[in-house]
């Protein structure tokens, strides 16, 4: 699962709540792997690309606040792997 820094989703909450939500489903006893995607933006004034969280939303080059978000605003399930059940003879 990809979790963007700007998605307003807290990865620690996902990790805590996933086992509870998965209980009694096909996902019970599965693992949740979370990859944090940095929140990057491009400054509309000077075209500097910067990390929005690290810079508190302000361009480190020119001090501008207007920006275009490039990545980090999404929450995406990247992959689900399902194993085969072993059958007993």
């Amino acid at each position: 699962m990809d979790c963007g820094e700007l998605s307003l989703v807290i990865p620690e909450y996902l990790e805590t709540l996933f086992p509870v939500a998965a209980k009694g489903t096909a996902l019970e006893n599965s693992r949740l792997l979370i990859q944090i995607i940095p929140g990057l933006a491009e400054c509309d004034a000077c075209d500097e690309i910067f990390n929005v969280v690290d810079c508190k939303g302000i361009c480190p080059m020119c001090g501008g606040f207007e920006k275009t978000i490039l990545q980090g605003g999404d929450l995406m399930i990247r992959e689900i792997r399902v194993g085969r059940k072993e059958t007993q003879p």
Side-chain angles (χ1 to χ4, degrees), residues 56-76:
K56 298 181 170 73
I58 300 169
C59 176
M61 199 68 145
C62 73
F65 186 73
E66 298 297 319
K67 60 196 157 294
T68 301
I69 302 298
L70 301 176
Q71 72 175 31
D74 297 330
L75 177 69
M76 180 178 11

Side-chain angles (χ1 to χ4, degrees), residues 32-65:
L32 179 65
L33 303 175
I34 300 174
Q35 179 177 351
I36 306 299
I37 306 299
L40 297 182
E42 181 177 9
C43 177
D44 292 345
C46 73
D47 298 326
E48 176 74 10
I49 295 176
F50 63 98
N51 185 296
V52 177
V53 175
D54 291 346
C55 297
K56 298 181 170 73
I58 300 169
C59 176
M61 199 68 145
C62 73
F65 186 73

Side-chain angles (χ1 to χ4, degrees), residues 75-87:
L75 177 69
M76 180 178 11
I77 297 173
R78 173 79 51 199
E79 180 178 6
I80 297 175
R81 292 184 188 178
V82 179
R84 290 185 284 163
K85 273 190 172 180
E86 297 295 323
T87 55

Side-chain angles (χ1 to χ4, degrees), residues 2 13 18 81:
D2 291 347
Y13 290 178
F18 179 76
R81 292 184 188 178

